Amino acid sequence: MVDSWTAVDFETANNDRGSACAVGMVRVSDGRIVDRYTTLIRPPESVSHFSRHNVAVHGITAADVADAPDWSQVHARIVEFADGTPLVAHNAAFDMGVLSRACAHTGLTHPEWNYACTLALSRRTWTELPDHKLPTVCAHIGHSLTQHHRADADAEAAARIMIAAMARYGTTSLLELSGASGLRLSYVPAALSPAPAPVPAVAAPAEDRFSRWQRQARTPLPQADPEADPTGPLFDRTVCVTGDLQALDKTEVWKRVAEAGGHPAKNLTRKTDVLVVGSNDHGGKSSKHRQAEAYIAKGQSIDIITEGELLRRLGMATT
């Protein structure tokens, strides 16, 4: 029986998951790479602005995608290329979120996507590694990743990690690997009717601090994903953020923490396990930071960590 699957990687223009600006795909059949597809993408109009942070990561600008196909064209090609096979990605919750969110922004239907996450898989397979970022795992398995954050290179890297894990467990299919590693395969349900009209996104440079605070206060907290890797460093941990982060908006942090199985929180309480400390106007410790230290002095266990450490625990590369 032929076992086929498709590795995928997206790059986005900004912190909205639907702002896809590049995709790379690698088709694997019986443990061999048999086909590739990659293209730049014009993001959906409502989320088409390019943030400085994202450009610094992948180098793609608005000018680069001016003549690229739009999401509806690329999505049709993605469905055709995958041809019903399961998808594989490193930090797959992000890439599957791109698929769903970009379709929501453009009112497109999409099929059910079955998928496996090589980030969660590598955490189970190579526990001796200091972290499980894409470059670290690739170096461990002997794959040269020279163009990290290029969608085609990262998609191939995810494919190589999956192939290496199959060899490690002595399996030849995703189903066998799931049983051997204990990693459950996940899925995104199909969207069979057009999604509601998207709410236009506000470009980060046009949003003042007070407006950002108001938006964050109104944003409901996502629930922890019970299917996340239980061995992950944030699984079942309550995470609070104080101050401003450089790489991620707080709402994006909350989503990523929840995807990792953690419990995002807006306020510091006696249930808090992790406090992420960002920058603030006065340069000293915030009230949440001081309160966390007071709780620690009374015996509560709270990890006070930097933004860089948060990114490491989320399995994201820093710039």
Side-chain angles (χ1 to χ4, degrees), residues 158-213:
R160 297 293 181 184
I161 291 170
M162 180 60 74
I163 292 170
M166 286 184 171
R168 172 74 176 267
Y169 287 103
T171 59
T172 59
S173 71
L174 287 182
L175 189 60
E176 288 179 351
L177 179 66
S178 176
S181 67
L183 179 70
R184 297 176 60 181
L185 301 182
S186 302
Y187 79 100
V188 173
L192 301 179
S193 59
V199 177
V202 179
E207 185 180 39
D208 61 36
R209 174 167 293 185
F210 181 70
S211 298
R212 184 170 70 251
W213 284 345

Side-chain angles (χ1 to χ4, degrees), residues 1-7 26-35 81 85-86 159 162-163 166 172-174:
M1 178 179 174
V2 175
D3 184 67
S4 297
W5 41 272
T6 303
V26 172
R27 184 72 174 274
V28 176
S29 184
D30 279 352
R32 297 182 300 107
I33 293 176
V34 296
D35 202 0
F81 186 88
T85 61
M162 180 60 74
I163 292 170
M166 286 184 171
T172 59
S173 71
L174 287 182

